[in-house]
Amino acid sequence: MKIIFAGTPDFAVPALAALIEAGHQMVMVLTQPDRPAGRGMKLKASPVKVLAEQHHLNVYQPETLKDAAVQAHIEAANADVMIVAAYGLIIPTVVLNMPRFGCYNIHASLLPRWRGAAPIHRSILAGDAETGVTIMEVVPALDAGAMVSRGVVPITESDTTQTLHDALSNIGAELMVQAMATLEQQGTLPATQQDETLVTYAHKLDKSEAAIDWHKSAIEISRQVRAFNPFPVAQGMLKDAVCRIWMATAKAGKARAGEIVSVHDGVTVGCGEGLLHITELQAPGGKRLSAQAFVQGHNLQVGDLFT
């Protein structure tokens, strides 16, 4: 089939790669414009653009899809279907209606739970037992389209946003290839409407959410740490300096909130309820370190306080 693929970050790369491997014709790859990145703030291509150019595909990077000339250019691609995976720009209804078979999206949650910008983060923060991917029709309302298929992934106490991101992007790619095979054979994709009474919203993350309140339970703080890995990274104050905490799990016990009670085989800190066992930390200007290396390098001792 002739496909327009719309995606930008790493999450979308496995899907584009899988669709190319499946033999579909990518008539256009829509991705966001190159953005300044790194210390030199040089323009950097999106991960999707990098892959598309490796395969010599037609890459189109408009700032908006609302412009009439942009819409005419997309329509001229004469696509059978558009596939969206974390594209990041609003797709007007007129563009959604251009492809013969419509437009389908890879969404990183089990809809209707966690519509919106940060579904993986919110699922961990909420303590969900599982998450997943939903292949859905794209409609003008946010993540409200009918559901074609989905894949479920359990959330363990060691999962971070990064580990779930990687798992979900690969599952989404597999599900989309299966969906396109069905669409090509049958000319239609059966879909189920979402139950609007079960909708929850995954609001965009705010950097202020990264600050740890040590009076919360260890379970809540562990979820915060894992949800904010790799960004924006949970943090507390240690010896008057910001300390970023990359990995931690909750364990039973009782101690004053913020007090380090053990530096053996990890850094264990008291919380409002339970203990937080930290295994990876980072000092300002330093590298991510194992707890053991951090303890040795920063002379961390029992009785020191996180605030």
Side-chain angles (χ1 to χ4, degrees):
M1 285 196 300
K2 294 191 294 182
I3 294 174
I4 293 175
F5 185 91
T8 298
D10 287 322
F11 182 83
V13 169
L16 177 57
L19 290 163
I20 294 170
E21 178 68 23
H24 295 289
Q25 182 184 355
M26 298 295 141
V27 293
M28 179 181 289
V29 174
L30 286 168
T31 192
Q32 288 198 42
D34 297 0
R35 306 292 189 196
R39 291 184 177 180
M41 295 302 285
K42 294 182 179 179
L43 290 179
K44 184 178 181 180
S46 74
V48 163
K49 179 180 179 180
V50 171
L51 178 63
E53 290 188 334
Q54 288 173 356
H55 289 272
H56 309 291
L57 302 178
N58 172 30
V59 176
Y60 189 37
Q61 298 176 271
E63 288 281 357
T64 176
L65 302 189
K66 297 178 181 179
D67 183 81
V70 170
Q71 294 175 2
H73 188 69
I74 294 171
E75 188 170 26
N78 194 30
D80 294 318
V81 65
M82 178 183 286
I83 291 173
V84 182
Y87 177 38
L89 294 183
I90 294 173
I91 303 176
T93 303
V94 64
V95 175
L96 295 178
N97 292 334
M98 286 176 185
R100 184 160 61 110
F101 294 123
C103 184
Y104 294 91
N105 179 49
I106 302 171
H107 183 76
S109 83
L110 298 173
L111 291 170
R113 186 163 178 79
W114 302 128
R115 293 180 183 177
I120 302 175
H121 307 80
R122 297 299 174 194
S123 64
I124 296 175
L125 283 169
D128 291 357
E130 62 184 19
T131 185
V133 170
T134 304
I135 305 299
M136 53 169 280
E137 298 173 355
V138 181
V139 297
L142 177 68
D143 298 332
M147 303 176 293
V148 173
S149 60
R150 67 182 197 165
V152 179
V153 175
I155 301 176
T156 72
E157 66 172 15
S158 62
D159 271 317
T160 64
T161 288
Q162 185 67 62
T163 63
L164 290 177
H165 166 282
D166 295 348
L168 296 177
S169 65
N170 288 322
I171 293 170
E174 294 171 9
L175 290 174
M176 186 58 83
V177 167
Q178 293 169 11
M180 290 303 101
T182 301
L183 183 61
E184 191 170 28
Q185 293 166 5
Q186 301 180 4
T188 185
L189 272 178
T192 304
Q193 295 297 324
Q194 296 184 40
D195 185 343
E196 293 293 326
T197 66
L198 300 177
V199 171
T200 60
Y201 285 96
H203 297 288
K204 186 178 180 180
L205 291 182
D206 190 300
K207 286 187 178 180
S208 64
E209 295 180 77
I212 294 173
D213 177 357
W214 296 97
H215 291 90
K216 290 185 176 180
S217 72
I219 290 175
E220 289 177 286
I221 298 173
S222 170
R223 292 172 185 165
Q224 179 184 8
V225 168
R226 293 181 291 110
F228 292 175
N229 175 348
F231 180 85
V233 189
Q235 61 187 42
M237 297 296 294
L238 178 65
K239 297 183 178 180
D240 297 321
V242 174
C243 181
R244 304 174 91 190
I245 299 175
W246 285 87
M247 189 62 195
T249 53
K251 60 188 293 187
K254 189 174 183 180
R256 182 160 62 114
E259 182 178 3
I260 295 175
V261 296
S262 174
V263 291
H264 175 68
D265 190 30
V267 177
T268 305
V269 185
C271 304
E273 180 182 337
L275 302 173
L276 189 73
H277 185 65
I278 302 170
T279 53
E280 194 173 4
L281 310 86
Q282 182 180 10
K287 298 179 180 179
R288 289 172 62 172
L289 297 172
S290 68
Q292 182 180 4
F294 190 95
V295 167
Q296 293 172 348
H298 293 82
N299 192 29
L300 215 55
Q301 299 178 7
V302 171
D304 287 343
L305 280 174
F306 275 98
T307 57

